[in-house]
């Protein structure tokens, strides 16, 4: 009745996962060893260093959380925010809304700064929100909105937070490895990402980094973190290189082999080279889409190279095009999410997916399908 | 500076992870596809059916949670227990203590039934605890204590909970696939396990199942589940076969390929055959250990075949033996945990690890090392 699963391979040009390279899949399937094995402890140390490189940070607390990006988001909120705290949260897409939901489930007060979907977070509105709420403990926003393809000005937003001595909590799920991100230079206090976007690793892991200030705030909490699994004061002792490593849970060993390999590939390419590759292929894609008369949702100045939200042309059947691309070309693009469902396609150029071959194929397949 | 990670393979005879078979590693490394791909949706449905088989349940809500067993534990608690609830929790090892911690972090009251480490949970004490607290909402206990190797009488414990119309919440991290477990027949309401023990899949996934009664309680909650990531009312819509699957997070796609394959192997062997294999190899191990003069921590009647806690013989250096087994034989056994640190070894015979070859090698290597 049941058989081994042998999926037909796909070219993944949606909002993630992106294509995982044979090198990373090879690392993934190496023999499982124990999570307290000295070999594995050495691997964790290297992952930490490679994540510091990818995040552009010296933060000592830089780890790979053993769950997907949504858990990384929740970890940042539940560790740094306590009941009754005020948090300014920016919503310009699905994931800003999810941040608000997390803030409220902690029992904190969310002060919402709202922008139109497809627009970046307004720096002016955030400034006004802090003027009205100078006691806000933190600012939380999404750097690269996966639901719309808009990039916000993380550097300026974090500067405002710093002026008010507030923490900045940044969603970098789609930005890490795909476009400029400088944790230390921009003064980001807590950041989380996902393994399956521009790092092109398998899904299920969330890179997380806390500044010294964030670690201090975690250590001086009044209440226990409401989640035991996500309590980073315990996870810290599990990832720490200093002294005795303290058992917390069993790390997802093979997925960390894969993350290590994908980060190694990023380091070998060079971080800024990877950013440039994403930008170059985005421009090539844009050029081709424009020739097909397909328009972008987001203004040119705020477009993410790795996540291209385009408007479904008038008279074209959204679902039919996506299912034809999948069945005829084994090529996946993403549907619109939330209020953009049926109105946009999301074309991902993330990590290993971002190459000449895939852009050329997508343009040809799309032309064939929508004509 | 950094190189690809190529671990020296180990024979994993500790408390988990167990050895992952080449078949499962092969499935793990198949090409990543999208989590909304029809092929993947079919896979999720099969995983659900195979988990129902492994758990001996017809529960419609039977899923693979996208995080390790500790998150499965937390999911059961945060979804079914609300602030102010009373929960009877049994502690006879590390993981019972962790259950208590989770209960308290929800703001519920933990009524502790304590037993000596290495002993099973006392059915009489649980009965007394219910007599004194007939209004307890739930009973939470560990079926197979990974820290001690003791098996508790899950069937009798769940019967008491049912007499008081209380939910039973059961930790089956180490029991699933390794020894008798009958979710429906025993009347278990919420159960969680781990992928890396007797299923011999890679670590990072937690199989979870809720009875209809548990689902009703989740649906009629007064307060929102404090964790967004672990909110099973949202996860339910992601795993549901009926109607439109609702995006919640990106599933750990490749790890689910591996889980599918490991469950398929369990089905092909036959669940009761797998239980018998664990028991047979445990007896062989016991026989050999007795010849070496090594004694068990747990009484014969309550020993888990898959997790053998034995006393470190007098005059033998615990850490030296473990590190020699690892460096000389590439063979990992586990140290004692918590109050048993330095006093016991934990010898795992879980899943693929439980074969004749490994038992023979361990006995030979141990004899050589402790003499």
């Amino acid at each position: 009745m049941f058989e081994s699963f042998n999926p037909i391979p796909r070219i993944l040009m949606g909002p993630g996962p992106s294509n995982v390279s044979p090198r990373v899949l090879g690392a993934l399937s190496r023999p499982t060893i124990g999570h307290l094995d000295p070999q594995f402890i050495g691997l964790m140390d290297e992952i930490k260093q490679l994540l510091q490189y990818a995040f552009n940070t010296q933060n000592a607390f830089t780890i790979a959380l053993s769950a997907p990006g949504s858990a990384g988001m929740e970890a940042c909120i539940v560790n740094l925010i306590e009941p009754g705290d005020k948090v300014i949260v920016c919503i310009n897409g699905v994931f800003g809304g999810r941040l608000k939901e997390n803030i409220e489930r902690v029992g904190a007060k969310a002060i919402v700064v709202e922008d139109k979907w497809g627009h970046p977070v307004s720096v002016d509105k955030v400034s006004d929100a802090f003027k009205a709420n100078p006691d806000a403990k933190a600012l939380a926003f999404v750097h690269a909105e996966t639901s719309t393809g808009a990039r916000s000005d993380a550097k300026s937003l974090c500067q405002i937070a710093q002026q008010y001595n507030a923490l900045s909590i940044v969603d970098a799920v789609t930005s890490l490895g795909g476009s400029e991100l400088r944790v230390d230079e921009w003064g980001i206090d807590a950041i989380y990402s996902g393994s399956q976007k521009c790092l092109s690793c398998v899904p299920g892991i969330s890179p997380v980094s806390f500044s010294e200030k964030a670690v201090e705030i975690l250590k001086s909490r009044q209440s226990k973190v409401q989640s035991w699994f996500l309590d980073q004061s315990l996870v810290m002792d599990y990832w720490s290189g200093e002294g005795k490593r303290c058992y917390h849970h069993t790390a997802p060993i093979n997925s960390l082999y894969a993350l290590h390999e994908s980060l190694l590939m990023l380091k070998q390419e060079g971080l800024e080279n990877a950013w440039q590759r994403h930008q170059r292929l985005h421009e090539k894609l844009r050029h081709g889409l424009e020739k097909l008369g397909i328009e972008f949702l987001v203004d040119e100045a705020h477009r993410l190279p790795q996540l291209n939200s385009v408007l479904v042309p008038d008279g074209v059947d959204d679902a039919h095009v996506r299912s034809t691309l999948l069945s005829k070309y084994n090529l996946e693009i993403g549907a619109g999410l939330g209020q953009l469902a049926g109105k946009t396609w999301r074309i991902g150029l993330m990590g290993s997916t971002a190459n000449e071959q895939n852009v050329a194929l997508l343009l040809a397949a799309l032309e064939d399908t929508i004509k």
Side-chain angles (χ1 to χ4, degrees), chain A:
Chain A
M1 178 179 177
F2 296 99
E3 286 176 11
S4 291
F5 184 64
N6 277 290
I8 299 164
R10 310 287 203 189
I11 294 167
L12 301 177
M13 302 188 81
S18 56
N19 280 118
V20 179
S21 75
R23 240 182 96 172
V24 172
L25 291 173
L28 179 67
S29 62
R30 293 197 179 117
T32 306
I33 59 172
H35 65 123
L36 301 173
D37 193 307
Q39 297 183 92
F40 190 70
I41 293 172
L43 181 78
M44 287 171 85
D45 285 342
E46 287 198 8
I47 288 173
K48 186 174 161 173
Q49 293 173 58
L50 288 164
L51 282 176
Q52 286 171 329
Y53 172 75
F55 274 130
N56 265 310
T57 186
Q58 299 297 318
N59 286 342
F61 186 68
T62 301
I63 63 142
L65 195 137
S66 305
S70 342
M73 175 191 284
E74 186 164 327
C76 289
I77 301 299
V78 299
N79 281 276
L80 301 175
I81 306 302
E82 293 189 68
D85 285 343
K86 259 192 205 178
V87 182
I88 297 174
V89 56
C90 308
I91 304 184
N92 62 335
V94 166
F95 297 93
R98 192 175 284 188
L99 269 169
K100 172 174 180 276
E101 183 70 32
N102 272 279
I103 291 162
E104 290 176 343
R105 289 193 188 209
V106 168
K109 184 172 162 53
I111 295 155
V112 175
V113 170
E114 206 151 8
D115 281 289
K116 227 178 132 182
W117 288 34
H119 289 230
V121 170
S122 157
V123 175
D124 289 342
K125 285 188 195 169
V126 168
S127 187
D128 290 344
F130 268 110
K131 276 177 204 149
N133 301 278
D135 58 336
K137 184 180 185 178
L139 168 69
F141 68 90
V142 179
H143 182 212
E145 243 304 342
T146 320
S147 62
T148 69
R151 168 174 40 206
S152 291
D153 180 355
K155 186 178 178 180
S156 300
L157 292 168
C158 291
Q159 271 173 356
I160 302 171
Q162 281 177 318
Q163 284 163 20
Y164 288 87
N165 198 28
L167 288 169
S168 52
I169 299 174
V170 179
D171 179 320
V173 169
T174 288
S175 54
L176 181 66
S179 46
E180 191 181 13
L181 175 63
R182 302 181 188 277
V183 167
D184 286 358
E185 198 180 314
W186 296 354
I188 294 171
D189 289 305
I191 191 162
Y192 57 92
S193 188
S195 48
Q196 80 284 13
K197 309 275 185 181
C198 296
L199 299 180
S200 276
C201 179
V202 290
I205 302 287
S206 178
V208 168
S209 185
F210 281 12
S211 71
E212 274 182 38
K213 182 178 165 186
V215 171
E216 278 314 305
I217 285 186
L218 169 56
K219 285 186 175 165
S220 58
R221 285 178 64 99
Q222 298 299 305
S223 58
K224 272 195 185 176
V225 175
Q226 68 187 25
S227 168
W228 185 89
F229 173 61
L230 297 176
D231 185 339
Q232 300 301 294
S233 64
L234 305 174
V235 171
M236 218 170 267
D237 295 335
Y238 185 55
W239 273 83
S240 171
E242 307 134 37
K244 200 175 163 354
R245 268 169 92 258
C246 201
Y247 168 62
H248 180 255
H249 64 280
T250 304
I253 294 163
N254 290 68
S255 296
L256 291 178
Y257 296 173
L259 181 66
H260 179 268
E261 193 69 24
S262 66
L263 289 167
L264 185 57
M265 286 173 73
L266 180 65
K267 185 140 199 326
Q268 288 169 343
E269 178 178 13
L271 187 56
E272 306 213 355
N273 292 337
W275 298 344
Q276 283 161 22
R277 173 171 51 87
H278 283 88
Q279 184 62 32
R280 182 168 51 78
L281 288 155
H282 158 74
E283 281 163 20
K284 186 150 189 170
L285 175 72
R286 185 191 63 185
H287 185 68
L289 290 172
E290 281 169 359
K291 284 213 292 195
L292 295 177
I294 293 175
E295 290 170 17
F296 277 76
L297 172 74
V298 178
D299 279 350
E300 195 169 342
H302 305 111
R303 275 178 210 161
L304 288 165
Q306 63 272 48
L307 199 282
N308 299 272
S309 264
V310 298
L311 304 175
V312 177
D314 284 342
V316 169
D317 182 338
D318 160 38
H320 173 74
V321 169
R322 285 187 289 108
S323 70
T324 304
L325 289 175
L326 194 64
S327 58
K328 190 167 166 188
Y329 297 94
N330 286 310
L331 197 161
E332 178 181 272
I333 65 169
L337 195 61
Q339 60 178 246
L340 294 171
K343 297 177 187 161
T344 59
W345 289 318
R346 290 182 295 159
I347 303 173
L349 284 175
M350 297 178 179
S352 300
T353 295
N355 65 34
E356 298 281 350
Q357 190 184 38
N358 290 340
V359 171
L361 174 67
L362 172 72
L363 290 169
L366 201 55
E367 182 171 15
D368 185 40
T369 308
I370 64 173
K371 77 181 173 200

